[in-house]
Amino acid sequence: MKIQPDRTRFPEDEKRQPWLPLLLEIQHITNQGVAAAIKADGRKLACGRGCATCCRSHADIPVYPLELMGIAWYVNEKLQGELREQVRVQLHGHRGLGACPFLVEEACAIHPMRPMACRQFNVFTTVCAVGEDAFHTRRGDVMNPDSRRKAEALREMLRHHDIKDGRERRRLVESGEVHRLAQSLREIRWENLAARMERIEA
């Protein structure tokens, strides 16, 4: 059984988008931390494709600026056909959805670019009930992220903000100040991304 995930790669895009390799490396560190935490716990994950309760029940998913760039890039350049059109419609009407605007047919339309917070939320034992937020109802079944790799990913995130000094990056992560950079996914003006999609198509 494979434990360590491979780094996602978009070779041609990484040449054109100077910020993309850093984002993919941050995702890789995060995925490694998730794999390590699951292995350390020893229980079987309840989460799987088609299980999307958290995409509806979680109203405050943090998204960092670099992650937002990745989402916008992926939606504009990688989504095609009916999936692209469905996401565009949902982005326009996202405030009335009651769910993540990227949830399409119980699956994440931007799965390769999903935020760090989504990657780290995993539940053991039993699939969440409709409307349940397992973090509050059964905290013991929610995976504890690997703290070392989580901190490493956040320190790397700060490179995007041109914070070069390693001690300063560490301080910002340890103090929690790094989280001030994030926006709540439900509060982002996704209609702007929908409009950008339309301009590209025109």
Side-chain angles (χ1 to χ4, degrees):
M1 178 179 168
K2 187 173 183 179
I3 298 297
Q4 290 300 322
D6 292 330
R7 177 189 179 281
T8 303
R9 297 189 183 280
F10 295 93
E12 294 306 313
D13 298 286
E14 289 180 59
K15 292 175 187 175
R16 293 187 298 106
Q17 308 286 359
W19 51 267
L20 185 55
L22 176 60
L23 177 58
L24 295 175
E25 185 59 31
I26 290 165
Q27 292 175 346
H28 182 54
I29 294 166
T30 303
N31 291 344
Q32 286 180 315
V34 169
I38 292 170
K39 182 179 180 182
D41 186 280
R43 289 179 290 172
K44 184 177 180 180
L45 278 183
C47 306
R49 186 177 177 86
C51 170
T53 299
C54 57
C55 305
R56 293 188 175 87
S57 63
H58 290 193
D60 192 22
I61 299 168
V63 181
Y64 295 88
L66 183 58
E67 293 179 314
L68 187 54
M69 288 174 66
I71 291 170
W73 162 77
Y74 190 82
V75 165
N76 275 310
E77 297 197 20
K78 299 300 177 185
L79 292 189
Q80 303 292 328
E82 292 181 9
L83 179 59
R84 179 186 178 89
E85 177 59 15
Q86 184 62 40
V87 167
R88 187 191 65 76
V89 169
Q90 291 184 182
L91 291 174
H92 266 305
H94 70 98
R95 299 197 185 278
L97 284 177
C100 174
F102 301 104
L103 179 64
V104 178
E105 295 183 0
E106 301 304 290
C108 179
I110 57 162
H111 196 262
M113 290 293 126
R114 67 197 186 282
M116 185 187 301
C118 298
R119 295 168 191 270
Q120 292 173 334
F121 188 81
N122 292 277
V123 177
F124 297 104
T125 309
T126 307
V127 174
C128 297
V130 174
E132 180 187 18
D133 184 342
F135 187 87
H136 299 290
T137 59
R138 47 191 173 101
R139 181 68 183 87
D141 282 343
V142 176
M143 184 199 81
N144 288 312
D146 180 277
S147 57
R148 181 178 65 83
R149 288 188 177 93
K150 181 179 179 180
E152 181 184 356
L154 288 170
R155 289 196 302 271
E156 290 301 300
M157 192 80 74
L158 288 167
R159 291 183 184 276
H160 175 66
H161 299 274
D162 206 29
I163 301 174
K164 297 175 181 175
D165 183 77
R167 288 173 297 182
E168 178 63 3
R169 291 201 307 272
R170 184 177 297 275
R171 184 192 70 78
L172 290 169
V173 171
E174 291 177 354
S175 69
E177 290 179 60
V178 63
H179 302 308
R180 294 179 187 171
L181 296 169
Q183 293 178 264
S184 173
L185 184 141
R186 297 279 186 96
E187 298 301 317
I188 292 170
R189 297 184 63 179
W190 293 115
E191 56 269 27
N192 292 341
L193 178 54
R196 185 175 167 192
M197 293 169 75
E198 291 161 358
R199 287 197 298 273
I200 289 172
E201 292 164 3

